[in-house]
Amino acid sequence: MTTRKDLLDIESLSREEIEHLLDQAGPFKELFTRSVKKVPALKGKSVLTLFYEPSTRTLSSFEVAAKRLSADVTTFDVPHSSVVKGESVKDTIDTLQSMRTDYIIVRNSMSGLPLVIARETKASVINAGDGAHAHPTQALLDGFTFREVFPEMQRKKILIVGDILHSRVARSTSTLMRKLGVEVAWLGPGSLVPKHGPRDIKRFTNYDEAMQWGPDVVYLLRIQMERQSAPYFPSLREYTKLYGVTPERFKRLEDQGTYIMHPGPVNRGVELCDAVMDYQRCLINQQVENGIAARMAVLYWLKPESDQ
Amino acid sequence: MSALLIQNAQIACEENDTLTPADVLVENGIISKIAKGVEAPAGAKVVDASGKVLLPGMFDTHIHMREPGQEAKETIQSGTEAAINGGVTGVVLMPNTAPAIDSAAMVRTIYDIAKRDSRIPVYTSGCITKGREGKELAGIDGMLQLGVKMLTDDGDAVPDMSLLKRAMEYASEFDCFFASHCEVLDLSGPRALNEGVVSHRLGIVGSPACSEEICMDRDIRLAHAAGARLHIQHVSSKLGMETIRWWKSMGAKLSAEVSPHHLLFNEEDIGNYDTHYKMNPPLRTAEDNKALLEGLKEGVFDIIATDHAPHTPFEKAQDFVTSPNGITGLETALVSLYHHFIKAGEFGWGLIVKRYSAEPRRMMSLEPVPIEEGGAAEFLLFDPEGQTTFTSEFMRSKSQNTPFLDKTLDGSIDLVVLGDAVLLER
């Protein structure tokens, strides 16, 4: 399997590359059960995290992944850096280039920014979420988690519920699932389910109709009020009533044996009720653990130009 | 230059697509003779134009020169040299400079700079509102006294309909017209990307065509009510074109422009966040391209204008969301229109002369510059067999934010003449 310099999205990966990464994540996950959880695969390599948006889970997941591969990790302190003093991203890139880091893990609210950084640096750039565009490592961990439950993914069904319009997770995970043969449907308010997405994705605006479709997994998105410059639905209460996993709907999911996924962090009482968190088929914690394995696989697979 | 003889040229005119073969003699800046077999006067410069087309100089009414305020992008000097490089012999500037051109003093400043730095006539439009802030009316009378004809807050629509209507009522008695950048910001947001399959793929909330179309309809209705003359700038959508067609059929005092880039490119060209295709209004769909071309051929669009919008490489090298809107157009318009449309048989030279030379001048209350005996010499020589590669070295604009950068197109501009001066010769 050939390597790539950067991981910017799922769109540009072939099915074979995705499967290779999922295969790679397996042995890394096994490592977590050992007393020594590190391997020397990236010893001497430097990893820099550049998070322009607040993040706890993804940032720590990447840090743990890099450290378990024995890389040196530096967190670029964006809130206290010259970025907040008005330095442009281009100038920041020049600074990063001078640091001769091997990997840059970047999160930014601007769609496409990781591509700009990738073009300008020799480091391998991993997109840890850019605007509403892509979140490829989230998609890979989702794919890995899905495959653990359903080793044969072909023609399985996943229903993604919530704010599809603003969700990079929805875009990347939908793309990855489709590439692996999973049928994808979206459910949400008409104002948050884009009309212009791929045609092979079903669109529902009614919960009951969506459940009749018979999803094997319901993937709930976090309602991201901070990304919405304008109200897309009247109230959280109304959203929960129409699209949330309420206790009544949870009962139906249990009865149908449907699995639950969520990229976190969860808005309890909004997209799902408390009981879901203790549900045997709730995969949320498994996703978190798999996130580290999937990110290790990505770091191990990419090939920085600084290597050559 | 005492005399210039262009031999064996094919002369284009606005009335039809027929090219008339003749020699053209220019003496003291005036076309003194058009005939076959004209003898060269002693000392005359002689140009063999066999196989080449002689066109009246182009006139572009939608230009951002960035001076004053953003001289790193463009100045009146560099921008007018870019115009000459593209066969354009007259330009109208947009007033969104810093400070904005919203008073007689600013108009005078522009004309002083142009007198010093430009080899071609430079006209400017003036703001509708002070500082383009959409709050108070600009110094309209002072600007009109200095010859301003076009009032526009281009770059933005005037959001306050009541203010816009009052401005139109106030100025409708004067010899001027309004030009509208049509956009409802509530609908479009700040990011110039069509709402569609590409905006979805790239994860950027797009701007729907209805943002432009609603504002267009709004401004036309306001102008209609106020009795003002209105010009719609850079139309990008099929429904926008149809809106203009319908209002014209209703007898509205209305004109409209289309840009080469909205004819040639669509959202698919953006590919993977190529900022050379980021502009406002955004590139829409292939269906819109087709409709706009039909609108141009049918005369729904009165003029072609480039919306020449220079930005530094540094700015355009940023991510798509952050990078500014706009591309340069002065140097690429004529060659690209030839390459894609005339050579392909979509339309002939007559349309170019009419829509990119004669009508834009008429819109500004100027006389067209046809190639005829007794007329002032203001023309260019175009070689259909030539080629142009738009390298950094070729271009004279300070900015090279164009999708044509380093591309080669058929056709070249070999000579530009204004009065008794040869402005360009290749």
Side-chain angles (χ1 to χ4, degrees), chain A residues 212-236:
Chain A
Q212 278 166 19
W213 178 62
D216 299 288
V217 172
V218 171
Y219 191 114
L220 302 162
L221 297 170
R222 192 169 74 88
I223 285 298
Q224 300 179 68
M225 298 307 286
E226 75 273 16
R227 271 196 224 297
Q228 294 170 16
S229 54
Y232 285 80
F233 48 83
S235 65
L236 285 179

Side-chain angles (χ1 to χ4, degrees), chain A:
Chain A
M1 178 62 58
T2 54
T3 53
R4 285 176 183 256
K5 174 178 166 288
D6 309 300
L7 177 65
L8 303 176
D9 56 33
I10 293 295
E11 199 76 43
S12 57
L13 296 183
S14 67
R15 179 181 177 140
E16 290 67 35
E17 286 174 310
I18 292 168
E19 284 176 341
H20 171 77
L21 285 167
L22 301 189
D23 292 344
Q24 285 278 330
F28 284 126
K29 189 177 178 185
E30 280 174 29
L31 193 70
F32 303 167
T33 56
R34 299 186 201 164
S35 61
V36 176
K37 298 177 177 59
K38 279 179 97 162
V39 287
L42 296 187
K43 195 168 171 57
K45 297 285 180 199
S46 57
V47 174
L48 192 134
T49 58
L50 182 62
F51 275 52
Y52 289 83
E53 282 183 346
S55 161
T56 310
R57 299 157 68 102
T58 307
L59 177 60
S60 348
S61 178
F62 268 113
E63 283 181 352
V64 170
K67 284 174 180 168
R68 286 186 182 171
L69 291 166
S70 303
D72 299 317
V73 183
T74 306
T75 303
F76 195 89
D77 190 7
V78 175
H80 298 103
S81 75
S82 47
V83 170
V84 293
K85 298 173 194 161
E87 181 179 270
S88 77
V89 168
K90 197 86 166 47
D91 294 331
T92 307
I93 293 168
D94 290 341
T95 308
L96 300 181
Q97 183 65 7
S98 307
M99 290 178 179
R100 298 188 183 280
T101 185
D102 298 298
Y103 299 86
I104 297 171
I105 298 161
V106 61
R107 167 171 285 195
N108 194 285
S109 60
M110 304 295 184
S111 298
L113 184 93
L115 174 68
V116 177
I117 298 176
R119 272 199 300 248
E120 300 287 332
T121 65
K122 290 187 171 179
S124 280
V125 174
I126 300 171
N127 181 2
D130 62 332
H133 172 228
H135 195 351
T137 57
Q138 177 71 44
L140 286 164
L141 78 87
D142 289 340
F144 183 67
T145 307
F146 194 105
R147 202 173 72 167
E148 282 186 322
V149 180
F150 301 108
E152 178 49 63
M153 293 170 76
Q154 201 73 25
R155 280 192 286 283
K156 290 291 174 198
K157 292 177 177 177
I158 186 167
L159 175 71
I160 302 180
V161 184
D163 177 1
I164 313 288
L165 183 68
H166 298 95
S167 174
R168 54 198 176 207
V169 174
R171 275 174 179 72
S172 288
T173 296
S174 297
T175 304
L176 179 136
M177 292 295 173
R178 285 157 57 238
K179 287 196 177 201
L180 296 180
V182 176
E183 289 181 36
V184 179
W186 289 342
L187 165 67
S191 53
L192 289 173
V193 179
K195 292 185 286 292
H196 301 288
R199 287 189 182 163
D200 61 343
I201 294 179
K202 286 185 190 302
R203 286 160 179 76
F204 295 106
T205 52
N206 177 292
Y207 207 101
D208 288 334
E209 281 176 17
M211 287 310 296
Q212 278 166 19
W213 178 62
D216 299 288
V217 172
V218 171
Y219 191 114
L220 302 162
L221 297 170
R222 192 169 74 88
I223 285 298
Q224 300 179 68
M225 298 307 286
E226 75 273 16
R227 271 196 224 297
Q228 294 170 16
S229 54
Y232 285 80
F233 48 83
S235 65
L236 285 179
R237 185 188 162 94
E238 186 162 317
Y239 177 86
T240 305
K241 183 180 161 214
L242 293 173
Y243 306 102
V245 177
T246 56
E248 299 74 38
R249 289 193 181 120
F250 176 48
K251 177 79 176 54
R252 182 170 173 183
L253 289 169
E254 272 187 312
D255 291 348
Q256 292 188 8
T258 313
Y259 285 84
I260 298 279
M261 291 173 75
H262 191 299
V266 170
N267 293 315
R268 284 178 185 240
V270 178
E271 55 261 10
L272 48 77
C273 59
D274 276 355
V276 175
M277 300 303 282
D278 302 319
Y279 175 42
Q280 209 178 358
R281 293 187 170 193
C282 173
L283 302 172
I284 297 173
N285 291 331
Q286 198 170 318
Q287 283 174 274
V288 176
E289 185 179 14
N290 289 345
I292 298 167
R295 288 171 178 126
M296 287 173 79
V298 168
L299 282 163
Y300 184 67
W301 180 59
L302 293 177
K303 182 113 178 124
E305 275 175 14
S306 50
D307 264 9
Q308 291 154 11

